Amino acid sequence: MILRLFSSPNGHLGKSIASLANVRSWCPAPMFRSTICRPKSTQVPANRVYDVNTKIPKDVMLFKYENPRFFKMLNIFAVSQFLFWGYLCHFSYTTLKDAPVQEDGKEELPWYKRVNLGENKYRNGIAIMCFFIGYGVLSASWIFTLRSVRYLVLRKGGDQVSVVTYAPFGTNRIMDVPLKYISAQESREAARVTVPVKIKNRALFYMLDMRGEFTNTKLYDYTVGLSRKLK
């Protein structure tokens, strides 16, 4: 009886096997195909933070910005401005003499002829203003120079970063900072002009000029390029 079922082309078991084969080869409509007939994906997932090895065996440069001529010209301009305004300060304090304006016909004179620049309040005010203008220009240029990053070097082991900045007199200023004390305020892809970087216990931001070169973008993004909470 069993052999007859297998051997008979019209047997019920043969029809059942054929129907099962048809079911296995059938796939639903396209709207259901993505959930029912989806093949197994063999694509390798993108690298995550913990997939990147930051424990490097040697020093690696992350960023460099070579533009010493600009900073040299900037500081020459700042020093010349300080000397110029300093000279005006000395000139106004020592040269302006007290020359009172006569009261007769004073109302008919233009306003600038009615002002006695040699009077103490005007003379001292002009001298102080000239000094602070020159000092302000010099200070702003030096602060900008000292906060402009020339090199970023991730030290061996990945726990320290050497931040090399420009200095006012053509030299470099180097400081080693723990990586956990550095926080990027903006991502490298989103920045247009500069990437501001905050260092713990340091006033103002350090600037990475986008005209510079990120020599190791992947390592930078997972070390210095991360945003951290600095307490």
Side-chain angles (χ1 to χ4, degrees), residues 13 19 22 27 30 32 67 85 87-88 91 98 114 120 127 133 137 144-145 169 178 194 208 211 222:
L13 183 60
S19 62
N22 291 333
C27 188
F32 302 104
N67 196 3
W85 289 102
Y87 171 75
L88 284 183
F91 175 82
D98 187 9
R114 288 181 286 176
N120 285 336
I133 290 176
V137 172
F144 178 75
T145 301
F169 300 103
T194 58
L208 306 181
R211 291 175 294 182
Y222 292 115

Side-chain angles (χ1 to χ4, degrees), residues 3 8 15 33 45 49 52 79-81 96 101 133-134 148 152 168 181 197 203 205 215 218 222:
L3 293 176
S8 176
K15 292 181 181 180
R33 190 175 299 164
V49 176
V52 179
V79 172
S80 63
Q81 286 292 304
L96 293 177
V101 181
I133 290 176
S148 297
L152 272 181
Y181 290 166
V197 175
F205 292 98
T215 54
K218 184 177 180 180
Y222 292 115

